[in-house]
Every structure is written in structure tokens, then in C-alpha cells.
Amino acid sequence: EKRFRLYDVVSHIYLCVLSFSAICLGVFSEIISQEIPLSEISIVLSVFIFGSSIIVFGFSFGEYAVLQRECYLKLQKAEGYSGNSYDELHSLYSDINSSYPNHSTADYEYFIVERTLFHGKPISASGEADGENSISWNFAILARVVLRFCALLAVLILPVVAVALTFVACGEGS
């Protein structure tokens, strides 16, 4: 849920910043140098904003966050289930899990790194760091988490850098 809520907020802020950039480009077009091809930049930026908004809408980050929240609330309710048999509880658990989207590998890896590396808390059935079947971070997991974070930053920064480089290149060409 946490990851999807973050993606939802970041994507909305991102689209707002891009839209604001397009508005500023149109409003301040008289002030900006005449050598810069503003109409072409404006068209590219508008198409990029349009495409990005369709993609963000298609991902439905907010909806996935709500579904995952519903799932863990139902699982918490099932934890207090006082049924007669293990089979009934297992059936209830299976029904809940099959009705909702499950977490991705990225969610588990982020949880492992956050809990064990950053907070120093163990992940094991016994609750002890050296317990049986304990889980801890390793460099491969950490590298994947860092790479995902860098990819997200690149997606957010790349269009801004592209527009800035266009302005610089057009300004130097005059």
C-alpha cells in the first residue's frame, strides 16, 4: 500500500509540474529568446504530458493501494478468527488472498532492507535476529532497491533535463 500511495502522489505532482511548465512556456514566450523554437518545444511537452497522464491513469496506483489495504484489514480480522478447525482458517485465508493483488518482489525487498538494514529489526518467525529461517538484507537485494530508486528518479528528472538542454542548445546556436 505504501509504495502505491507514494507512486500516486509522485505521479500527480509530476504531471502538475509538467503542466505548469507548459503553461509558463506559453505565458512567458514573449520574454524568452526568439531563437528558441518555443512552438516545437511546446508541442513536444504537450504530447509528453498527454502520454504521461494516460500511462499514470492506466497504472491505477490509488486503486491498488486501496485493494492492498482492504486485503490486510481482512487478514487482520481473520487473525482473530475463532473457527473450529485449521481447515476453515486456511480456507478463509486462501479466499482472502486470492481475492486481492499480492505484493511484488520489490515490496518484499524494500521491506527487508528497510526493516533489517535501516531499523536493525529482525525478520524471523521467532522475532530474533539469529532465529530459525531469519531473513536479512544482502548486497544483491540492496542493489536492486537502489537501482529501482535510481530508475524512478531518472524517470522524474529526464524530461526536465531534456527541456533544459533544449533551451541551452538553442541559446548557444544563436
Side-chain angles (χ1 to χ4, degrees), residues 151-166:
L152 177 63
L153 281 179
V155 166
L156 295 175
I157 294 172
L158 189 62
V160 175
V161 171
V163 169
L165 288 176
T166 303

Side-chain angles (χ1 to χ4, degrees), residues 32-86:
I32 300 173
S33 174
Q34 297 299 322
E35 290 82 28
I36 298 174
L38 292 179
S39 60
E40 289 85 356
I41 293 172
S42 181
I43 290 169
V44 169
L45 190 58
S46 298
V47 168
F48 186 78
I49 293 169
F50 179 69
S52 296
S53 64
I54 290 173
I55 291 169
V56 166
F57 177 75
F59 280 135
S60 305
F61 295 128
E63 290 177 30
Y64 278 113
V66 168
L67 287 174
Q68 287 193 338
R69 177 173 169 73
E70 286 177 12
C71 181
Y72 76 70
L73 289 175
K74 284 189 176 186
L75 287 171
Q76 283 178 341
K77 188 184 273 187
E79 191 176 42
Y81 177 75
S82 58
N84 295 333
S85 72
Y86 169 80

Side-chain angles (χ1 to χ4, degrees), residues 114-133:
E114 180 184 36
R115 180 148 177 156
T116 61
L117 179 63
F118 297 139
H119 297 294
K121 296 179 181 175
I123 301 175
S124 69
S126 66
E128 298 175 15
D130 57 351
E132 186 175 327
N133 299 324

